[in-house]
Amino acid sequence: MRQSKLFTKTRKESPADEVSKNAEFLIRGGFVHKEMAGVYSYLPLGLRVLNKIENIIREEMNKAGGQEILMSTFQPKDNWEKTGRWTGMDDLYKVSDSSGREVALGPTHEEIVVPILKNYVTSYKDLPVAVYQIQNKFRMELRAKSGMLRGREFIMKDMYSFHTSQEDFEKFYEKMKEVYKTVFNRAGIGHLTYLTFASGGTFSKYSHEFQTITAAGEDTIYLDETSGVALNKEVLNDEVLAQLHLEREKLVEHKSIEVGNIFDLKTKYSKPFDLSFTDEKGEKNIVLMGCYGIGLGRLMGTVVEALSDDKGIIWPEAIAPFQIHLLSLGEDVAVLKEADTVYESLLKAGVEVLFDDRTGLSAGEKFSDADLLGMPLRAVVSARSIKDLPSGGIEIKKRTEEKGKIVTLDELLKIFKK
Ligand code: ATP
Ligand code: MG
């Protein structure tokens, strides 16, 4: 895409009402637009990142056997009264229409997915099954000061699994731990993300969170660096340490953000709706459930928090809006012509390229935009780079490198050949 045609522009000044680094960079770069605290719209660059994250998650959920659905945002009050959460959930948005009818704006979808499954699950032969969606959620978060990390409207992947036995559930749950690791590895934060034991609430001993280490995190974890096992601060006590074979002295404290979590729901939501099946002996049993969440916007914000430097974002290749940022410097006709050739060749080779073809900007302005926007590779065509054409032509530099090198167009294209 030609940057001269991109309707968004970068901004030098930080938004006055944002304190978080992720929101600052994402707004300054024109990835997102803030509507109100905790509510953001995705603009072309941000949407490209979101789509890539979404595709990684979708691929991995499909591989795990998940069937994609898309559930409604409006949720009947009756369903929420059945589970006790109409009054029991503090952050539930309730809206009413002119007839006075009240509905919930979905903050999660157990109250919808269970009644759906009830229509189709009757026998043990219908199980196990796992369904998921990628959809906007609404929560009345009290503190929405962390940019994309804590939205009042935010995009979540939520999967729900249904089983005939605890054993079958546990098999799936263990598989999902690996699936989640793959998702975070592919998104470029695997090396900073740890499976973390957290308190499971009333219905199971532990839940598991996937916590990414970053100074901006709202959680605190204790990490055993040798085993890679982490504990959420709120579960840290001698009994838990003994159960997990961890020694308090060896644990290192980190600030972190929960990018995903997995839960054993047992019959908490299947029971109120009497979601049941008949087993081999013809006896009726309540279905066992698990749920598995990942916040997509939060993941994007986490990447920005964890991987940026003081100049801007450093996107991992797999989720960068474009693979390469091509810059033409100056108004020299030969430079513009060569840059155009490079752009067209990259496009032809199927490379996703953002081409800063804007005129009237200094080299410094273009470089600082490239640093802010954070494409993994920068390619510059300038009077200097084309001076010894046909052998030279393009100066390339990774976002993480200080110094670039001159390459030919063929050499550049080779980088993107699989
Ligand atoms: P937290 O403790 O951070 O509030 P949670 O336990 O409420 O998270 P879940 O209800 O389990 O989160 O949601 C599943 C996933 O959705 C979380 O792991 C997180 O990645 C994401 N998520 C939850 N709340 C938000 C939010 N307000 N904004 C963005 N993402 C969120
Ligand atoms: Mg929450």
Side-chain angles (χ1 to χ4, degrees), residues 139 141 149-151 154 156 258-261 293-295 298:
R139 291 185 188 179
E141 300 282 0
L149 302 185
R150 188 166 296 285
F154 60 96
M156 194 203 285
E258 178 198 307
V259 286
N261 66 19
I294 298 178
R298 181 178 288 189

Side-chain angles (χ1 to χ4, degrees), residues 59-88:
E59 271 176 36
E60 296 304 327
M61 294 307 124
N62 288 346
K63 264 195 246 165
Q67 300 180 42
E68 188 169 6
I69 60 175
L70 183 59
M71 291 182 272
S72 67
T73 292
F74 279 161
Q75 305 192 0
K77 181 180 178 182
D78 283 358
N79 298 28
W80 283 80
E81 285 181 327
K82 270 211 176 89
T83 60
R85 292 208 285 184
W86 180 258
T87 49

Side-chain angles (χ1 to χ4, degrees), residues 4 8 12 71 98 103 179 204 212 269-270 338 349 370 390 392 400:
S4 60
T8 59
K12 279 206 184 61
M71 291 182 272
S98 56
V103 294
V179 171
S204 76
T212 306
Y269 299 101
S270 43
E338 178 62 17
T400 48

Side-chain angles (χ1 to χ4, degrees), residues 34-288:
K34 183 177 186 175
E35 308 307 339
M36 53 193 248
V39 180
Y40 298 87
S41 295
Y42 289 86
L43 304 177
L45 294 177
L47 185 60
R48 290 181 74 99
V49 178
L50 182 70
N51 285 340
K52 289 190 176 184
I53 294 173
E54 194 175 314
N55 286 338
I56 291 174
I57 293 175
R58 178 174 287 117
E59 271 176 36
E60 296 304 327
M61 294 307 124
N62 288 346
K63 264 195 246 165
Q67 300 180 42
E68 188 169 6
I69 60 175
L70 183 59
M71 291 182 272
S72 67
T73 292
F74 279 161
Q75 305 192 0
K77 181 180 178 182
D78 283 358
N79 298 28
W80 283 80
E81 285 181 327
K82 270 211 176 89
T83 60
R85 292 208 285 184
W86 180 258
T87 49
M89 194 166 181
D90 294 339
D91 47 4
L92 185 66
Y93 276 104
K94 300 167 184 177
V95 294
S96 49
D97 61 22
S98 56
S99 71
R101 183 184 15 243
E102 286 185 298
V103 294
L105 283 186
T108 177
H109 277 69
E110 286 84 2
E111 277 80 356
I112 296 293
V113 76
V114 175
I116 291 177
L117 267 289
K118 196 173 157 63
N119 284 301
Y120 302 101
V121 171
T122 52
S123 146
Y124 69 94
K125 290 178 192 156
D126 301 322
L127 297 168
V129 62
V131 300
Y132 75 96
Q133 65 172 349
I134 296 167
Q135 194 238 22
N136 286 31
K137 298 281 189 269
F138 300 84
R139 291 185 188 179
M140 220 180 290
E141 300 282 0
L142 289 181
R143 299 160 295 121
K145 291 189 181 143
S146 303
M148 308 295 288
L149 302 185
R150 188 166 296 285
R152 294 194 167 120
E153 176 178 355
F154 60 96
I155 303 172
M156 194 203 285
K157 183 282 299 178
D158 41 331
M159 183 187 254
Y160 306 88
S161 72
F162 303 84
H163 308 270
T164 54
S165 67
Q166 186 63 18
E167 193 190 353
D168 188 59
F169 160 74
E170 273 164 22
K171 208 170 70 198
F172 189 78
Y173 189 82
E174 288 308 310
K175 180 166 88 175
M176 288 309 291
K177 284 185 188 166
E178 297 307 315
V179 171
Y180 268 45
K181 280 183 198 156
T182 307
V183 167
F184 300 124
N185 279 337
R186 287 186 63 186
I189 50 169
H191 60 301
L192 298 170
T193 304
Y194 293 91
L195 180 69
T196 304
F197 287 81
S199 57
T202 48
F203 37 98
S204 76
K205 200 168 190 178
Y206 298 115
S207 69
H208 290 92
E209 300 170 340
F210 288 80
Q211 294 276 358
T212 306
I213 292 178
T214 159
E218 295 176 4
D219 287 353
T220 302
I221 60 164
Y222 289 91
L223 173 66
D224 180 72
E225 279 165 346
T226 353
S227 62
V229 172
L231 287 180
N232 197 308
K233 187 177 186 173
E234 60 186 23
V235 286
L236 185 75
N237 61 48
D238 290 333
E239 193 196 330
V240 173
L241 288 171
Q243 273 168 5
L244 301 174
H245 309 291
L246 296 172
E247 289 170 52
R248 198 182 274 261
E249 306 75 58
K250 287 196 183 152
L251 300 178
V252 185
E253 186 181 301
H254 293 282
K255 281 277 163 213
S256 62
I257 180 82
E258 178 198 307
V259 286
N261 66 19
I262 58 178
F263 265 101
D264 179 357
L265 294 177
K266 300 236 185 320
T267 58
K268 187 174 183 185
Y269 299 101
S270 43
K271 211 171 191 170
F273 295 100
D274 190 33
L275 175 64
S276 51
F277 66 97
T278 40
D279 62 19
E280 289 94 327
K281 292 178 222 137
E283 276 163 25
K284 189 180 140 180
N285 296 278
I286 299 288
V287 171
L288 297 171

